[in-house]
Amino acid sequence: MSGWLKAASKACALVLLVALTVAILMGATAYTPSLELRPLAEFYLESTLNVYDKSRWAAAPEAVTAMLWDYRGLDTVFESTVFILAVVGSAALFRFSEASLLSHGSKPGERLEEGLSIIVRVVTRIVFALIVALSAAIAFHGHLTPGGGFQAGSILSIAPLLAIAALSRRFVEGLGLTKNSCRALEAAGFLFIASISLLPLATVLGGLGACIIQNQQKPWLPPPGFSYPFELGPIWTGGSLILFNVAEYLAVSSGFTLLFILLALPEEFFRGLMRR
Amino acid sequence: MMELLAQAAWAYLYAMLIATAAVSIYGVVAKPNMLKKVIALTILGDTANTLFIFIGYRLGSTTPPVLTTLTPSPTDIASFVALAVDPVPQCLVITAVVINMAVTALLLFLAIQAYRLHGTLDARRLSKLRG
């Protein structure tokens, strides 16, 4: 009976798969890309750096970052909240007291030489520096070139992962990237995002018109008010975009580093915790 | 003739992506091992993101949605609008990628903890646990 059921369910899945594929095949022929642009995309492309009509501009030549942190800023802030909650949830699953971690052979400021062969270790150190430099460049130019806080944070978190694999977890902790410092950096990044989003609202108390997550001033508000400076001397900052990118860079990279450090703890350490 | 061929190619692309999504949904539902469920879920997320990027593609477009000058003339803006790809799907996908990674990490942490506590990753046995 159960064998028959299994065969039937497999047949059902196969029929479902074929039906879905055929349905999409027939539907997809009606949609092939053309040079036509959707009105929404046209609006974003037209107004992101429209110096002739500044009523809806974001002061950034990069339309994707302008959408991410200006036009659809509220959405991105809540998506970062999902990210933070996922990291906090993971850390809560692997919770333990700090004293027990210290007893597991790691002292602050100590960098132990262990891991793979000398060739791998030297190459890893060079690549480590390159990854950090590259990710910083991507984060700080996020409003000018393709890239931004999310991308740069993911790239930077590769550096400690590489160091854990080639050198050791203790090397990363010797650099100061311990569980608690990562957690503090992540919280600092998220607080930074929250304060940049709420700062324009503070100007409402001064009688100016402002929205939450406002980048440039909105001329249609009764007394047009606050806008982040989009040009500091020779540096184009894109208003709040550079601040948001750096804050997200901090939050994402330290969040992933925290997860990698927790995953790199040896299994017998947790076994020992559970026996107590 | 060429147009028909292009249409068929795009239809094939979409069909394959949907088929991959269907297979990964089957994996999430039918595989008893928690680790395999997580792997299927990541494949589902990546397939959805790829589909999004393809929807944002513009046939004949030559530039990414990035203006190359900080002082654009009206013709610059006009040619930018005429030739850049759709930025909306790219914007949606980049957050989705990072959130996917964080959620995958959370699920893996859950699976590891479940294995430590109960010695199994089999969903059928884990669902029978009480108290």
Side-chain angles (χ1 to χ4, degrees):
Chain A
M1 182 62 190
S2 74
W4 180 82
L5 257 178
K6 215 177 224 176
S9 69
K10 267 186 188 162
C12 278
L14 198 70
V15 168
L16 187 75
L17 197 71
V18 171
L20 211 61
T21 311
V22 169
I24 294 299
L25 201 71
M26 289 166 73
T29 46
Y31 179 73
T32 44
S34 64
L35 200 55
E36 296 275 308
L37 199 60
R38 294 172 195 84
L40 184 67
E42 199 174 324
F43 166 76
Y44 288 135
L45 290 177
E46 212 166 59
S47 50
T48 176
L49 193 67
N50 200 335
V51 286
Y52 305 99
D53 174 18
K54 291 189 175 178
S55 61
R56 287 180 171 80
W57 81 321
E62 222 255 289
V64 177
T65 304
M67 284 175 65
L68 208 62
W69 287 115
D70 189 339
Y71 298 117
R72 295 177 63 255
L74 203 60
D75 181 44
T76 313
V77 166
F78 282 108
E79 278 184 70
S80 334
T81 317
V82 172
F83 170 79
I84 303 282
L85 283 178
V87 172
V88 166
S90 309
L93 277 172
F94 275 26
R95 62 189 176 275
F96 50 84
S97 68
E98 200 55 26
S100 52
L101 180 65
L102 280 176
S103 69
H104 204 78
S106 179
K107 294 186 188 73
E110 179 192 35
R111 282 186 225 173
L112 287 176
E113 278 294 329
E114 51 193 352
L116 303 176
S117 76
I118 180 96
I119 300 169
V120 178
R121 289 203 307 253
V122 170
V123 171
T124 304
R125 278 155 192 270
I126 297 168
V127 174
F128 190 95
L130 289 180
I131 290 173
V132 173
L134 173 73
S135 67
I138 289 175
F140 283 96
H141 292 116
H143 56 294
L144 298 175
T145 57
F150 281 101
Q151 295 92 320
S154 316
I155 292 172
L156 181 60
S157 65
I158 298 302
L161 185 63
L162 192 67
I164 286 170
L167 302 159
S168 72
R169 176 183 55 82
R170 287 171 218 176
F171 175 82
V172 176
E173 287 181 345
L175 291 175
L177 291 171
T178 58
K179 191 172 85 99
N180 279 355
S181 65
C182 284
R183 204 181 274 170
L185 276 176
E186 195 198 2
F190 196 60
L191 276 178
F192 197 25
I193 291 175
S195 48
I196 301 162
S197 332
L198 292 176
L199 184 62
L201 276 192
T203 61
V204 173
L205 300 174
L208 297 169
C211 314
I212 191 167
I213 320 186
Q214 174 172 310
N215 178 7
Q216 299 301 312
Q217 65 178 3
K218 308 291 172 219
W220 65 81
L221 287 176
F226 184 79
S227 63
Y228 284 95
F230 58 84
E231 215 171 4
L232 282 179
I235 304 165
W236 191 278
T237 61
S240 61
L241 299 183
I242 190 170
L243 302 173
F244 273 128
N245 270 337
V246 171
E248 188 66 35
Y249 173 55
L250 203 67
V252 169
S253 58
S254 52
F256 279 132
T257 307
L258 172 63
L259 297 187
F260 294 146
I261 287 175
L262 284 179
L263 278 177
L265 281 168
E267 193 60 28
E268 74 254 33
F269 169 72
F270 285 101
R271 293 262 160 73
L273 276 184
M274 259 175 246
R275 270 196 296 276
R276 273 191 292 164
Chain B
M1 183 62 201
M2 278 311 285
E3 210 165 275
L4 203 68
L5 213 63
Q7 266 192 0
W10 278 97
Y12 177 74
L13 204 87
Y14 286 128
M16 283 305 113
L17 281 173
I18 298 290
T20 314
V23 168
S24 56
I25 290 173
Y26 172 79
V28 171
V29 174
K31 286 285 166 191
N33 190 322
M34 299 299 268
L35 215 53
K36 288 182 182 170
K37 279 183 197 286
V38 174
I39 292 170
L41 196 67
T42 56
I43 294 174
L44 181 63
D46 291 343
T47 313
N49 289 341
T50 317
L51 197 62
F52 250 80
I53 289 294
F54 277 124
I55 286 172
Y57 182 67
R58 251 176 117 184
L59 206 67
S61 154
T62 51
T63 46
V66 180
L67 260 175
T68 46
T69 168
L70 285 174
T71 48
S73 65
T75 43
D76 281 343
I77 294 177
S79 75
F80 180 57
V81 173
L83 288 175
V85 292
D86 192 342
V88 184
Q90 300 194 13
C91 172
L92 296 174
V93 160
I94 182 56
T95 45
V97 167
V98 176
I99 305 290
N100 255 353
M101 204 161 135
V103 168
T104 307
L106 177 63
L107 289 174
L108 286 179
F109 274 68
L110 261 174
I112 293 170
Q113 200 66 2
Y115 186 79
R116 271 182 203 145
L117 290 173
H118 307 297
T120 177
L121 279 176
D122 195 324
R124 290 165 298 193
R125 286 177 60 192
L126 284 174
S127 64
K128 288 210 179 72
L129 293 170
R130 289 287 178 272

